[in-house]
Amino acid sequence: MLTTVDQSFAHRVLIVDDEPSSLMILEGALSDIAEVICSDTGFGAIEKAQQFLPEIILLDIELPDISGLEVCKRLKNNPETSGVTVIFITSHNESKFEHLSLELGGIDYIQKPVDLKVCRLRVGNHLKLKTQEQQLKHSQRLLAIESERLRVTLNSIGDAVIATDKDEKITFMNPIAEMMTGWVMHEAVGNYISEVMQLRDATTKHKSLNPISIALKEQRRVAMALNCQLTSLNGRIHRVEDSASPIRDEKGNIIGAIIVFHDVSESIAMAVKMSHLANHDQLTDLPNRILLHDRVAHACQVSVRNGFFVALMLIDIDHFKYLNDTEGHHVGDQIIKLVAKRLESIVDLNTTLARVGGDEFVLLLPDIKSTCHVDAVASDILYAMHQPFRVDGREFNLTISVGISINPTDSDSAELMMSHADAAMYKAKEHGRDRFCYFSDDLEHEFHQRQNIDKLLRNALEKDTLEVHFQPKLCLKNKLIIGAEALVRLRDEEGGFISPLHFIPLAEETGLINKLGHSVLKQSCRAAKRWLDKGHPIKVAVNVAAKQFTDPKFIESVAQILEDTELPSGYLELEVTESALMSDFDETSRILNGLSNLGLSIAIDDFGTGYSSLSYLKLFPVDVLKIDQSFVKDMVDDKQSLDIVKAITHLAHSLNLKIVGEGIETQAQLDTLISLECEEGQGFLFSKALPENEFENLIF
C-alpha cells in the first residue's frame, strides 16, 4: 500500500497526452496517490518538468509539437530532470518503439488503451521505488555526514588512532598516528600493526607485544604495558600509553581492532622533574629534608642489621641571618651555594649532604665503625669553613656550629636524630660557636626547655601578654627619680618569671626580636605618657637589640609609636650596646641620626665591655654612657675596675655626655660614683625593676 503525506502528497506525477479525455481519465485514476500535473504538448511537458520536478512522467509518444521520445531525450540530457522516471504510454505496438523508449531512458511501457488498474499498480510501484531511493539517498547522505564527522574527529583529536582488521592489518591511521609512527596512511594500510608500531620496554629495550594482538586474541580491552616506548621510522622515540579494543559488528562478531595512544614523554619528564624538585633544594640542588628523612631512616634500619653506627651532623652557619640582612639576599644565596660546594668537596660518596633550612645543612654518615671517624670529619668541616668565601670580588669569613647525634647511641629514629643534632648544635653556639658538640641527656633537657620557652614567647606576643617592669633611675645628688629603664618580663606556666637571658637570645635567633622590641617600646611609651599626663615627667629608657638595627623600618616604627602614644620624643631614650654600633658604620650612623632627628636621646649600654667604639663616640649622636655593672660592682675593691670607671667618666665629661652607673648595690659604690661626678644611677640599692603599678607608687 502506497502511503501519502497529507493532502500535499509526497510525490508528483506529470501526465503528458494530447487527448483531453486521456488526461482526465489518468488524472482521476492517480490523483489519490500523487499530486497530478498535466500537459498536452511536448514543450509544455519539458517546461513543467523543470518547474515541478515530478518523480514520474507518464509520457505519450505521439504529441502535436515534438514526439514523446524527443521529450524523454531532452529531459534525460538535463541534469535537473535526468533523474525523473519516464513511463511511456502509446498506442504503438511495434517492439521497435518499446526498444527505442527504453534506450532513451524510459523505465516502463504501457499500451493504449490503458488498463487503469495496471497503470495505478505500475505507477504505485515506481513511486515506492522512488521513496526507497530517496530514503537510501538520505541514509547515504547521513552516513556520509557521520563518516566525515568521525573522520574529522579522529583527525582532530590529540591522541593517535590506528584501526586494523581481524588479521592485525592496518585499515586506518589518523594524522597523529602518522606523525608518531613516521608512516603515512596509504603506505601503512595493509601492513601488520607490529611493523608500523615498533614497541619496546623503555628500560630493558626488549620488544613489546602490541596491545592489538592481545585484544584480538583475548577478545577484550587491553591497556598498553607500562614503561612502553614507540620508535618511529625516523628513529624518534616516544613514551606512549593508552589501550586497544576489539571492533565488533552488529552481531557481536570481531571484525578488527583499534588502538588509541598518546605521547607521555613530556609528562614523564615533568614527573621526574617534579619528583626531583620535591626531594631537592632549589638553590643548591642538594637533597632536602624529605629525601634526607628517607635516607636517615634507611641508614638506621641497616645499622641495626650490621651493627655499625650512623652519625648525623647538623651544620649551621654562625650569624648568617645578620649577614643576609646586611649584605642582601643575593650575597646570602651565593654564600649558601659556595658553602654547599665546599662541603660536597670534602665528603665521600657514601655520605648524604642535604640542605634543610636557610643556613642549615645536614651530613649523614652511615656505616660508622668508630666515633673517631666522626670527629675527623667534623674537624675537617670546621677547618674548611675557615677559608674565606669570595662573592662579587669581596671576601667573607664564616664559622659554623655543628651538632652531632649518633644512632643507636643517643637515638633510635630519624626524628630523634634530627632533634638531638639540633640540640647539640645550639649547645655548640652557646659554647662560643666555630665548634662541634655531641648530644647528651643534658642537651635534650635544654632542647626541650628552649622549645617550651619559644612556645611561651610566641603565645605572649600573639596575645600581647608580655610584661614590662621599670627600674627607677635616680639623680645621685638628690636621690630623686628622674627616669626609668624598661625591662621585659615573660611568665612561665606557673606564673613565675623566665630569665631574659634565656628568652631574649632565643627571640634573636628565631627572628622574634623585632616583634618583641616593638611590644616593649609601645608599652613603655604608653606608661611614660600616663606619667606625664599625671604631672610626673619621667624619661623612659628602652633597650634596642642589635638585630633590631637590621630592620629597614625601625626608625619609621619608632616614629609611629611616638605618634600613636602621643608621647613627646624628649621623654624617650633608646639604649644600644657597643656591639650593635660596630657592625656597619654607615648604616649605624644613618639609623642613629634618624632616631636622633626624632628628638629622642641615645644611650650606650654596658659601656666599657667593648673596645672598638671609643673612636666613634664623637661621630655618633650619643647622649648617655651607661657604665657596665661589672665595673661598678668591683670598683670599690679592685683598682683596675676603678681606673676603668674613672676613664669612662672622664671621657664622658670631655664629650659632654651624661653618665649613668648601673648595678649600684652598696653605699660605698654610690659614694664612689658621686665622687667621680657620675650624675645618674640605678641598682638594687634604690629599687629592683617593678611592675608598672608598683613603680607608680614610688613616683606619685
Side-chain angles (χ1 to χ4, degrees), residues 1-189:
M1 178 179 179
L2 183 67
T3 58
T4 60
V5 181
D6 64 42
Q7 295 301 315
S8 63
F9 298 102
H11 303 288
R12 288 194 181 99
V13 175
L14 173 60
I15 303 173
V16 185
D17 200 312
D18 60 344
E19 295 181 7
S21 58
S22 296
L23 288 175
M24 186 179 299
I25 293 171
L26 289 172
E27 181 180 7
L30 301 175
S31 60
D32 62 335
I33 62 173
E35 179 183 353
V36 177
I37 303 165
C38 297
S39 176
D40 56 3
T41 64
F43 288 117
I46 294 172
E47 181 180 350
K48 290 185 177 182
Q50 292 176 333
Q51 179 182 359
F52 295 104
L53 297 176
E55 283 85 357
I56 297 176
I57 298 179
L58 297 179
L59 181 59
D60 192 5
I61 293 180
E62 299 296 337
L63 295 171
D65 45 3
I66 58 174
S67 70
L69 296 173
E70 180 64 23
V71 171
C72 181
K73 181 179 179 181
R74 294 189 182 189
L75 291 175
K76 292 300 180 181
N77 289 335
N78 187 341
E80 294 183 359
T81 57
S82 60
V84 68
T85 296
V86 178
I87 301 175
F88 283 100
I89 298 177
T90 181
S91 58
H92 296 289
N93 56 11
E94 297 91 338
S95 58
K96 67 176 183 178
F97 286 100
E98 185 174 359
H99 293 164
L100 185 57
S101 64
L102 294 175
E103 287 177 0
L104 292 174
I107 202 71
D108 207 344
Y109 193 86
I110 299 176
Q111 287 282 343
K112 286 185 178 181
V114 176
D115 185 329
L116 294 180
K117 184 175 181 181
V118 171
C119 180
R120 278 175 57 86
L121 290 173
R122 289 189 176 183
V123 170
N125 288 336
H126 283 298
L127 288 176
K128 289 180 181 179
L129 291 175
K130 278 293 183 180
T131 299
Q132 294 171 355
E133 179 184 346
Q134 291 172 357
Q135 292 174 344
L136 179 60
K137 287 181 178 180
H138 179 68
S139 298
Q140 289 174 337
R141 283 195 300 271
L142 292 178
L143 184 61
I145 292 171
E146 181 65 15
S147 177
E148 178 64 13
R149 187 180 68 82
L150 291 175
R151 186 190 69 80
V152 171
T153 300
L154 290 174
N155 289 345
S156 300
I157 62 175
D159 287 355
V161 180
I162 300 179
T164 71
D165 59 19
K166 62 181 180 181
D167 296 322
E168 300 182 28
K169 292 183 178 181
I170 293 176
T171 59
F172 172 81
M173 294 176 67
N174 73 345
I176 300 297
E178 291 180 324
M179 182 273 293
M180 292 181 65
T181 61
W183 289 70
V184 293
M185 186 170 71
H186 72 271
E187 294 177 352
V189 169

Side-chain angles (χ1 to χ4, degrees), residues 369-519:
K369 298 179 182 178
S370 170
T371 56
C372 293
H373 176 67
V374 180
D375 290 343
V377 173
S379 297
D380 288 344
I381 292 174
L382 288 172
Y383 177 77
M385 290 300 111
H386 290 163
Q387 307 304 314
F389 293 87
R390 293 187 62 85
V391 177
D392 297 336
R394 300 169 59 195
E395 287 192 353
F396 294 89
N397 294 301
L398 302 178
T399 61
I400 59 172
S401 298
V402 182
I404 304 172
S405 175
I406 304 293
N407 170 275
T409 302
D410 61 52
S411 62
D412 57 5
S413 66
E415 292 80 5
L416 274 179
M417 290 195 79
M418 286 296 296
S419 64
H420 289 181
D422 190 53
M425 182 270 292
Y426 277 108
K427 190 66 175 179
K429 287 186 177 293
E430 291 176 2
H431 285 173
R433 297 179 169 83
D434 192 21
R435 67 191 64 224
F436 64 87
C437 286
Y438 285 88
F439 179 78
S440 68
D441 291 339
D442 291 339
L443 278 178
E444 183 173 23
H445 174 72
E446 290 182 22
F447 177 70
H448 290 307
Q449 188 178 40
R450 279 175 55 87
Q451 285 185 315
N452 184 54
I453 293 174
D454 180 72
K455 181 180 178 181
L456 289 170
L457 179 58
R458 292 180 185 275
N459 186 60
L461 288 172
E462 181 180 346
K463 297 181 178 179
D464 196 22
T465 56
L466 278 175
E467 297 181 27
V468 177
H469 289 193
F470 299 91
Q471 185 173 38
K473 186 187 300 182
L474 286 77
C475 173
L476 298 186
K477 289 183 178 181
N478 56 25
K479 309 301 185 295
L480 294 178
I481 297 176
I482 58 173
E485 180 179 358
L487 298 170
V488 64
R489 296 290 184 260
L490 175 66
R491 293 187 183 272
D492 58 22
E493 294 92 335
E494 286 75 32
F497 289 113
I498 298 172
S499 171
L501 295 177
H502 291 151
F503 70 83
I504 290 182
L506 180 61
E508 292 181 333
E509 292 173 9
T510 56
L512 296 174
I513 192 63
N514 288 334
K515 194 171 182 180
L516 184 150
H518 185 275
S519 176

